[in-house]
Amino acid sequence: MLLLVSNHNSRAADGEIIAGRGFWPGLCVSLKHNSRFASYTLLVKGDFPYEMDIKIPFSLVNNDVKNDKLTIIPGYWFMYNMYALIRNANKYEVRDKRLLKNQYLEYDILAPDTVNELFNAIKMIEHAVGSDDNTELQLSQEEVIHRGKTKLTHGGDQVPSVVHMSGFEHSKRKVEIVKIQEAYSLFKRFIKYYGTIHLIDFLIKHRYEDLRIKMRDCQRKDWENIGGQLIEKDAIQHLLNGIKSGEIDHWEDVHKNYHELSRGYPETKLAHALASLLEITGESAETLNVEVIKSWLIEAIEHKRWMVKEIYESRAKDYQNPFRNMVYNSTEERDVVVGSLEDNSFILQQRQELIDFEMSVFALIAKYSMP
């Protein structure tokens, strides 16, 4: 049973709980209004006594009652439960039983909303690391971010194991962000992978010259999640302005606008993905060349292999857990009841998708390796 309750923090009217896609509160979680959560935030079971604004996606958030602090593991899903993360995305899409799918609902973990949150999180991490021991130095915000980026890029002892951030909880107690280096590296890798898989789809259907033209015009804009449909913030504002001016004065016109935006979503998402790829790599349409693209393709294969490996290993933990196994007389009995790990249909599906992905990407690499 999932029970999410809210504590009123005043005699005023009810507030709001705002959560991005993939938000998951643990059993019997108690929250205070107003609170906001980035996409794929996982809340550990418990009572959270203060309002929260969790800005880093894919995080685990724990109210450490004993030590009176809030602890956040950014990128928790990437590090510890890739199986559930990817399987849930597939499961939600399968469960979409709409007879008329005239509105594009996003189920992928990597999309304009989550990727923008990853970019924001990278900046926050860089700032936190850059200002961690900045008590005596008088640096601008840009200098602090550059300092943190340098430390994180080189890694090692320069990066603290724990940093403190403000603005995540409406309290005076500590908010600790742990596993900073791992999260930072993973966030950059996933952004690059997001951009590359869309680049691959584009190159399969178009010429290299078309890619350069496309990249000159693409921009990474702000997006909003409107009931599962992701829409550029500018487009939402345009719709609102039309309603306010009376240009749009019927529900049919509003629905028509939504459907037009939905039809155009794959193209606008592609532009966002390509812009994200250029931004995270520091490349531009002018500096881009075939060798750079080939290196991105190879990295995409390596990342996909790593993901499939993590999917398998995160699921394997359940089979290796002696406390889960103790109710069965043998491993054979367990496999009859819950199914064999090696016969897991989702893992087999992911392995086949990896094979298909490798074949298509290697074909592209071969194409661009021809004289």
Side-chain angles (χ1 to χ4, degrees):
M1 180 184 70
L2 176 64
L3 177 62
L4 177 63
V5 299
S6 168
N7 291 333
H8 290 245
N9 56 8
S10 75
R11 288 178 293 277
D14 289 350
E16 298 289 343
I17 298 291
I18 303 173
R21 292 189 301 119
F23 172 68
W24 189 258
L27 297 175
C28 300
V29 163
S30 175
L31 300 174
K32 276 207 171 186
H33 289 172
N34 296 325
S35 285
R36 181 171 56 185
F37 303 96
S39 302
Y40 293 92
T41 298
L42 174 62
L43 300 180
V44 174
K45 173 184 176 181
D47 298 332
F48 291 84
Y50 306 103
E51 300 98 321
M52 291 182 290
D53 188 6
I54 307 301
K55 308 177 183 73
I56 302 178
F58 301 98
S59 294
L60 180 140
V61 182
N62 176 43
N63 177 32
D64 187 344
V65 177
K66 180 180 178 181
N67 298 300
D68 193 27
K69 62 184 179 182
L70 191 73
T71 302
I72 300 173
I73 304 178
Y76 168 86
W77 287 103
F78 298 152
M79 298 177 194
Y80 299 111
N81 206 342
M82 190 70 71
Y83 179 88
L85 182 65
I86 305 302
R87 181 173 176 269
N88 283 343
N90 289 24
K91 182 171 63 177
Y92 296 147
E93 187 168 7
V94 170
R95 289 178 178 177
D96 185 351
K97 300 299 183 183
R98 290 175 297 160
L99 297 178
L100 179 61
K101 295 186 179 181
N102 58 352
Q103 186 180 15
Y104 195 114
L105 301 182
E106 183 61 82
Y107 300 110
D108 201 321
I109 63 168
L110 296 175
D113 58 340
T114 53
V115 170
N116 281 352
E117 288 177 336
L118 289 174
F119 269 110
N120 293 338
I122 285 172
K123 288 297 182 187
M124 282 186 279
I125 291 172
E126 290 172 347
H127 186 275
V129 171
S131 59
D132 186 60
D133 56 354
N134 187 29
T135 55
E136 298 180 0
L137 298 174
Q138 299 297 320
L139 302 177
S140 68
Q141 183 165 321
E142 290 74 17
E143 289 172 327
V144 169
I145 290 175
H146 178 74
R147 189 165 180 260
K149 184 176 182 178
T150 301
K151 288 184 177 183
L152 287 156
T153 301
H154 292 93
D157 297 336
Q158 296 185 75
V159 181
S161 57
V162 176
V163 297
H164 298 98
M165 290 190 187
S166 60
F168 282 71
E169 185 180 70
H170 189 200
S171 72
K172 295 181 180 180
R173 66 178 184 164
K174 291 181 179 178
V175 176
E176 290 188 350
I177 316 294
V178 302
K179 297 188 178 294
I180 289 290
Q181 182 69 73
E182 295 95 324
Y184 183 79
S185 300
L186 282 169
F187 286 0
K188 296 181 75 172
R189 283 175 57 188
F190 271 93
I191 293 173
K192 192 173 183 179
Y193 177 71
Y194 161 74
T196 306
I197 57 177
H198 286 84
L199 177 143
I200 290 168
D201 289 341
F202 185 87
L203 287 177
I204 289 174
K205 304 170 186 174
H206 301 85
R207 301 177 304 163
Y208 171 69
E209 292 73 16
D210 297 328
L211 174 66
R212 294 179 67 91
I213 296 171
K214 184 73 176 177
M215 281 187 158
R216 289 194 189 103
D217 300 326
C218 61
Q219 297 179 12
R220 186 174 69 86
K221 297 182 178 180
D222 292 332
W223 287 66
E224 296 283 354
N225 179 359
I226 310 298
Q229 179 178 345
L230 303 185
I231 304 175
E232 288 181 333
K233 200 168 184 178
D234 290 346
I236 290 295
Q237 192 57 53
H238 180 74
L239 172 60
L240 294 175
N241 291 339
I243 294 172
K244 291 175 183 177
S245 67
E247 181 182 348
I248 299 175
D249 60 354
H250 295 286
W251 276 113
E252 290 79 5
D253 294 330
V254 174
H255 293 159
K256 180 181 177 182
N257 196 288
Y258 269 73
H259 295 152
E260 288 175 353
L261 291 170
S262 180
R263 282 192 292 272
Y265 176 69
E267 191 67 21
T268 51
K269 183 181 181 181
L270 170 65
H272 180 274
L274 295 178
S276 299
L277 180 59
L278 293 177
E279 184 175 344
I280 202 65
T281 59
E283 296 287 347
S284 68
E286 288 69 32
T287 63
L288 195 64
N289 58 58
V290 171
E291 292 306 313
V292 170
I293 290 178
K294 284 164 63 176
S295 70
W296 289 348
L297 300 184
I298 292 170
E299 284 186 50
I301 291 175
E302 293 172 352
H303 187 78
K304 180 74 171 176
R305 287 172 177 169
W306 172 81
M307 286 179 63
V308 172
K309 174 176 169 289
E310 288 297 307
I311 287 170
Y312 177 85
E313 291 184 353
S314 60
R315 181 57 174 153
K317 293 175 185 177
D318 294 333
Y319 286 80
Q320 297 161 357
N321 186 336
F323 291 90
R324 286 179 178 260
N325 289 326
M326 68 182 177
V327 297
Y328 305 108
N329 292 322
S330 64
T331 56
E332 291 77 15
E333 181 181 84
R334 178 203 63 195
D335 290 347
V336 169
V337 176
V338 300
S340 166
L341 175 63
E342 300 305 326
D343 294 332
N344 182 289
S345 60
F346 177 69
I347 292 175
L348 293 175
Q349 174 197 345
Q350 292 301 302
R351 287 174 171 171
Q352 184 59 52
E353 288 184 9
L354 173 60
I355 293 171
D356 297 340
F357 182 74
E358 288 177 336
M359 289 178 62
S360 62
V361 176
F362 280 133
L364 271 180
I365 293 173
K367 175 182 176 182
Y368 289 107
S369 297
M370 294 174 63

